[in-house]
Amino acid sequence: MPTSVSRVVTASRVAEVVGTLTRPAYASLADALRLAIGDGRIPVDVRLPSERELCERLGVSRTTATRAYALLTEQGYAAARRGAGTFTRIPGGRARTLDRALTTRVGDDLAVDLNCAASSAPPGLAAAYQAAVADLPAYLSGHGYYPAGLPELQRLLAEGYTQRGLPTAAGQMIVTPGAQTATAIAARALVRPGDRVLVEVPGYPNAAAAFAGAGARLSPVPVGPQGWDLDLLESTARRLRPKVAYLVPDFHNPTGQLMSEEQRARAARALADARTVVVVDESHQQLALADRQMPRPLAAHVAAAGGTALTVGAASKVLWGGLRMGWTRVDPDLAEAFTRARLTLDLGTPVLEQLALVHLLGDLAPTLAFHRERLREQRDALADALREQLPDWDFELPQGGLALWCRLPTPNAAALTEEAERRGLAVAAGPVFAPQGGLAAWVRVPYTRPVGELRRAVEILAEAWPIVRGEGLDATSTARRRVRSIVA
Ligand SMILES: Cc1ncc(COP(=O)(O)O)c(C=O)c1O
């Protein structure tokens, strides 16, 4: 367990997360605690205040406190330890929060899972689902298929783009189950076997796999500490005239780079001139951690240059991956091809999740503020721990996004991640982000878990690193190492 997490939650902290109780008070108190334990505002395995402390701080009766703890215990979110008090739990243990495809060790022996760069749900998610359930009856008399998306959601999403300087009609929005599905549909709609697709290296591997799966030949363009290699992007566009370019200009995964306004204009011009359709993945666009004006959407630059773009977005990184909510903004001339390709995969996105997203988007500012503050704190704690314990690793503090992209002094990332996993830390090595090989001296360390877990992760990395450092194997053949290949 994390070492730095306080093992006690105070009555004041409980009062803060619980807010105003409704009637019956015991059920309202238990509900609020269950939600806070579930979404991590109250950690797991900490002692709850005694019933007496709770009564005094919340101004409730002893019976209310006793019944609330009894209900919480019955639901599996708390357990009494004789003589020690009542402790928080998650029913089913942590294995319930992990998936076998993403994390090979889903048991309790996995101390920290940093294979996915994705946070736990922010407060307000369960309430949005409750509001969505209340809205649902109005939709039940229809057939429930929305291959384009619920009109209300399309409208809200379109408004968001218009406000960011990319005028968008609701009819240009197509709602999908996550950004990856949107990219996979784009690959189906746009790519034929043998077509060239420009991708970033390092880059988001599932997107590259979607284009490769559609038969594309991938043309990599590096993203380094100075950002995108625009000279190479321009010459690749001129020489190869790729059918598609897949770019993540806003807090690129895994480097965290943000493409500047000038770079966007250059990239857009080169790709528009080559008649390359630009698939812009904005999954991380709302994850700015510095107070700064964001550049205009890349698709706006593409439009200004006379080109065609398709912008992919999602609620996964800014709200919660479990929503499985994403979308695409298509230029009108691509709408039909995209919808046709979509219908070969699925016929729409679940109505309940779309309704929940409508509620969440209706009042996004406090959720965003909470999420960014939490990420800032976690990023800084991770950076401090790495600087202290692994001073010869190199990284830039990103202005946004979800991970530190760390350069190791020797190319042993795969060996490192294998050794770390033996010690209970799942984390992705550089080669995962290079579909054609390379990046053996890099590792992606997300700051998406609580500070205590991040410090534990760095302790594990610092134990594993001296064991594998300088080993020759990775440098000559990454293939000889088992590199975890499924990440998010
Ligand atoms: C750049 C990028 N695109 C897409 C995805 C997948 O998003 P979703 O969960 O919405 O499918 C991720 C997740 O890591 C990502 O980093």
Side-chain angles (χ1 to χ4, degrees):
M1 283 305 296
T3 47
S4 62
V5 174
S6 155
R7 309 309 330 150
V8 175
V9 57
T10 62
S12 302
R13 175 69 185 142
V14 169
E16 207 178 289
V17 298
V18 161
T20 311
L21 295 176
T22 54
R23 303 230 146 254
Y26 83 91
S28 167
L29 175 55
D31 271 358
L33 284 170
R34 189 161 49 90
L35 278 179
I37 296 164
D39 68 30
R41 279 171 295 152
I42 295 181
V44 177
D45 205 28
V46 298
R47 183 163 63 73
L48 287 164
S50 70
E51 291 173 11
R52 185 182 51 76
E53 287 168 321
L54 208 57
C55 298
E56 278 170 14
R57 186 67 187 73
L58 297 185
V60 296
S61 72
R62 188 67 179 247
T63 318
T64 296
T66 308
R67 289 184 73 187
Y69 278 3
L71 183 55
L72 211 56
T73 305
E74 190 186 311
Q75 293 169 331
Y77 287 85
R81 290 189 202 149
R82 196 183 295 273
T86 302
F87 288 73
T88 56
R89 297 182 46 192
I90 292 283
R94 57 174 309 157
R96 181 171 282 192
T97 65
L98 301 171
D99 180 278
R100 245 173 226 294
L102 283 165
T103 314
T104 48
R105 289 169 58 162
V106 293
D108 284 338
D109 55 347
L110 185 78
V112 190
D113 178 20
L114 294 182
N115 190 45
C116 274
S119 301
S120 58
L125 212 104
Y129 266 98
Q130 276 159 1
V133 169
D135 289 345
L136 197 60
Y139 295 82
L140 296 177
S141 63
H143 50 55
Y145 288 93
Y146 291 92
L150 284 188
E152 177 63 2
L153 181 55
Q154 289 181 296
R155 189 185 61 73
L156 280 173
L157 293 169
E159 264 174 30
Y161 284 107
T162 303
Q163 279 161 14
R164 288 175 50 216
L166 186 60
T168 302
Q172 284 177 260
M173 298 309 309
I174 297 171
V175 178
T176 62
Q180 174 62 16
T181 304
T183 303
I185 296 170
R188 272 188 185 222
L190 302 172
V191 174
R192 297 289 161 264
D195 282 348
R196 288 266 175 202
V197 172
L198 186 154
V199 293
E200 300 155 325
V201 175
Y204 181 57
N206 300 338
F211 287 110
R217 287 181 292 161
L218 303 180
S219 303
V221 167
V223 183
Q226 262 66 54
W228 287 256
D229 184 338
L230 285 176
D231 291 340
L232 191 64
L233 185 144
E234 284 173 337
S235 65
T236 303
R238 223 180 9 254
R239 241 176 355 97
L240 301 177
R241 298 191 162 265
K243 188 75 171 289
V244 170
Y246 169 81
L247 297 173
V248 185
D250 302 279
F251 309 121
H252 170 260
N253 185 2
T255 65
Q257 291 276 346
L258 177 66
M259 199 186 273
S260 72
E261 204 80 66
E262 297 70 34
Q263 290 167 333
R264 283 170 202 240
R266 247 183 98 181
R269 221 175 301 116
L271 295 167
D273 287 352
R275 298 189 163 280
T276 300
V277 177
V278 189
V279 175
V280 187
D281 186 334
E282 292 189 344
S283 300
H284 296 203
Q285 197 275 339
Q286 285 172 301
L287 296 175
L289 301 182
D291 222 1
R292 55 156 302 154
Q293 169 111 25
M294 285 293 286
R296 278 191 312 147
L298 178 54
H301 288 275
V302 174
T308 302
L310 189 151
T311 300
V312 165
S316 311
K317 304 294 167 159
V318 77
L319 287 165
W320 190 45
L323 271 169
R324 304 308 310 131
M325 286 301 304
W327 54 85
T328 301
R329 177 199 179 276
V330 286
D331 279 358
D333 53 342
L334 284 180
E336 200 196 321
F338 191 90
T339 309
R340 217 190 282 275
R342 192 250 164 92
L343 295 178
T344 65
L345 280 170
D346 69 13
L347 301 179
T349 311
V351 172
L352 188 67
E353 271 69 14
Q354 296 195 65
L355 290 171
L357 186 56
V358 166
H359 283 282
L360 289 160
L361 292 179
D363 190 21
L364 193 59
T367 310
L368 259 181
F370 168 90
H371 193 39
R372 286 176 176 157
E373 187 48 43
R374 182 171 67 172
L375 283 172
R376 253 191 301 270
E377 191 194 325
Q378 291 171 182
R379 177 197 61 182
D380 294 347
L382 175 64
D384 286 348
L386 281 170
R387 285 189 197 111
E388 195 186 308
Q389 299 202 45
L390 289 157
D392 54 354
W393 287 22
D394 195 21
F395 59 87
E396 306 241 330
L397 205 64
Q399 296 176 53
L402 298 168
L404 300 184
W405 179 237
C406 299
R407 179 180 208 138
L408 315 177
T410 57
N412 305 109
L416 171 73
T417 55
E418 234 179 49
E419 186 62 34
E421 187 164 330
R422 266 196 285 281
R423 292 158 185 272
L425 167 67
V427 66
V432 172
F433 303 91
Q436 295 171 329
L439 300 177
W442 297 85
V443 62
R444 182 187 75 169
V445 190
Y447 39 83
T448 44
R449 296 300 306 164
V451 168
E453 286 188 34
L454 294 174
R455 292 201 179 120
R456 178 70 196 118
V458 175
E459 279 168 19
I460 294 175
L461 289 171
E463 286 161 18
W465 179 239
I467 296 170
V468 301
R469 185 196 168 115
E471 240 187 47
L473 209 58
D474 272 38
T476 51
S477 165
T478 52
R480 276 196 257 161
R481 287 281 181 193
R482 187 176 61 80
V483 175
R484 170 188 299 290
S485 60
I486 305 180
V487 290

